Structures are given as C-alpha cells and as structure tokens.
Amino acid sequence: MKFFIDTANLDQIREAQNLGILDGVTTNPTLMAKEGIAGTNAIMQHYRTICDIVDGDISAEVLSTTYEEMIKEGDELAAIHPNIVVKIPMIKDGVRALKYFSDKGIKTNCTLIFSSGQALLAAKAGATYVSPFLGRLDDISTDGLALIDEIRTIYDNYGYETQILAASIRHSMHIINCAKIGADVITSPLGPILSLLSHPLTDKGLAQFVEDSKKMA
C-alpha cells in the first residue's frame, strides 16, 4: 500500500519524506489556505516546491467546476512537473474532464467520492485514482470503510486499474483497516502515520533494554 501525506505544509512533507515511507502528496484549496498560500502564482510555485521534495505523485486540485475551465486549469497544472496528478471533483463535467486527461495520458485523481457508483463512473472515465472520503462518511454515521470494500470488489470484478486512494483518514486504525480491505493508497495527515510507530510494549521493552545495557557497561 502506498502512503501519501495530505497537507500543504512543507515541514511535514519533509518529515514524512525523511522517514523513507512517503510515496506522494495530496493537497486541496483548504490545505493551501491553512498555509497562507493564495493566488495562482503562489499556488503554482508551492506545487513546484513540493515536487522538488517528493519523487512521487502530487495531486494538484483544480478550482473550476465547468468542463472548459477544468481542462484549461488542469493542463496548466500538469505542465508544472511530470509528477503532477490533476485532481478533479466528482461532478458531471468532472467525469468528462477525467476522460479528456486520460486520453492525453495525464494522471488524474477524482476527489469527493462518497458512493460506489461515483467510483465506478470515475474508473470508466479512466481516472488514475479515486478518493473516497471515509472519515467524512463516518462523521454522518455511515460506514466509510464499507465504501472502500465495495469499490475494491467492483474494481476487482472488472479489472479496473484505477487505484483506490482512501482519503479523510482520521486515525491509525483507518490506515490499518484500509490496508486489510486492500486500498491501494492512503492519504493522511502526518499524525495518524506517525501513530503507527507507537505501542506501549515497544516503549516498555526499549526502556528495559536501555536499563539493562547500563548494567553491562
């Protein structure tokens, strides 16, 4: 399973990269705004900087909602760097845009997926990734992991190559359960990824090893 980090914070991206487990980055306008990044030129430069840090797929989201505008904006984003993946919303014009970029050989990430039907349409249009938002489904008392499982079954039934990129990860068990179901990718803030490192028995065992080593000195 691939690990992407869901942030626009360069320090967190570098920290995840230095762990040696980072495969890519996802961002969106909200995450950009949190870092105080506004304006087309600043956003484009920020994507270039991320591409310099991470040698992997970097999802860059279009801000438009019409087909023609998404095509124009997506072409500009794709021109930034070969690792840019154009992030397209799951709307009618978005499905058309997915097909356009797929035919051009440009990678895409269809975002805001909340049903298996949406994921099926995105795969039919040639999306490289689909991003089901499991945490947001959990927030409205719907089983987000069940959606991941449904999409996995559908894609396996028909041999779709579209990768399931589990998004809206809230904690380490989301990551573990996505791995068990067979999600191709998870994208998460740094916190849940780092929490995979922790276990009280590891801490206890390490403390004991350190204490015993002092006795051997």
Side-chain angles (χ1 to χ4, degrees):
M1 186 171 70
K2 297 177 184 176
F3 276 58
F4 288 7
I5 187 170
D6 192 37
T7 186
N9 183 283
L10 297 180
D11 289 337
Q12 292 181 8
I13 292 170
R14 290 188 181 96
E15 184 174 352
Q17 175 69 11
N18 289 339
L19 279 175
I21 52 85
L22 190 63
D23 298 294
V25 178
T26 57
T27 59
N28 58 47
T30 301
L31 294 173
M32 286 285 188
K34 284 182 178 179
E35 300 304 315
I37 302 160
T40 300
N41 290 338
I43 290 172
M44 300 288 266
Q45 182 55 50
H46 202 73
Y47 283 132
R48 292 187 187 94
T49 303
I50 293 172
C51 289
D52 288 339
I53 298 170
V54 180
D55 184 16
D57 285 348
I58 312 299
S59 286
E61 187 164 348
V62 300
L63 304 179
S64 308
T65 56
T66 66
Y67 174 74
E68 291 77 11
E69 290 172 338
M70 282 189 279
I71 294 308
K72 180 178 182 296
E73 190 177 350
D75 279 335
E76 291 172 353
L77 289 170
I80 292 173
H81 193 279
N83 289 354
I84 289 290
V85 176
V86 180
K87 198 172 181 182
I88 302 288
M90 170 39 72
I91 54 177
K92 186 176 180 180
D93 277 9
V95 174
R96 289 181 63 199
L98 290 172
K99 178 61 174 172
Y100 167 86
F101 289 117
S102 175
D103 288 345
K104 287 190 67 174
I106 294 173
K107 291 182 180 181
T108 54
N109 176 0
C110 187
T111 189
L112 294 172
I113 296 287
F114 292 100
S115 75
S116 55
Q118 291 175 326
L120 178 57
L121 285 175
K124 287 284 289 182
T128 310
Y129 300 99
V130 292
S131 291
F133 280 37
L134 66 100
R136 293 195 192 182
L137 285 169
D138 289 352
D139 289 345
I140 60 167
S141 301
T142 303
D143 190 348
L145 288 167
L147 174 59
I148 305 292
D149 198 24
E150 285 181 7
I151 298 171
R152 179 77 278 155
T153 298
I154 291 169
Y155 285 7
D156 289 348
N157 280 348
Y158 298 101
Y160 287 120
E161 295 182 1
T162 299
Q163 297 181 53
I164 302 170
L165 194 163
S168 190
I169 297 290
R170 302 290 171 77
H171 47 72
S172 60
M173 286 311 300
H174 271 162
I175 299 175
I176 297 300
N177 285 324
C178 284
K180 289 163 68 176
I181 291 168
D184 300 287
V185 191
I186 62 94
T187 187
S188 168
L190 184 59
I193 294 173
L194 293 180
S195 70
L196 294 172
L197 291 165
S198 302
H199 195 284
L201 291 179
T202 301
D203 296 340
K204 182 179 179 181
L206 182 59
Q208 186 63 56
F209 292 157
V210 170
E211 186 62 28
D212 290 345
S213 69
K214 293 177 181 177
K215 298 175 183 178
M216 299 172 62

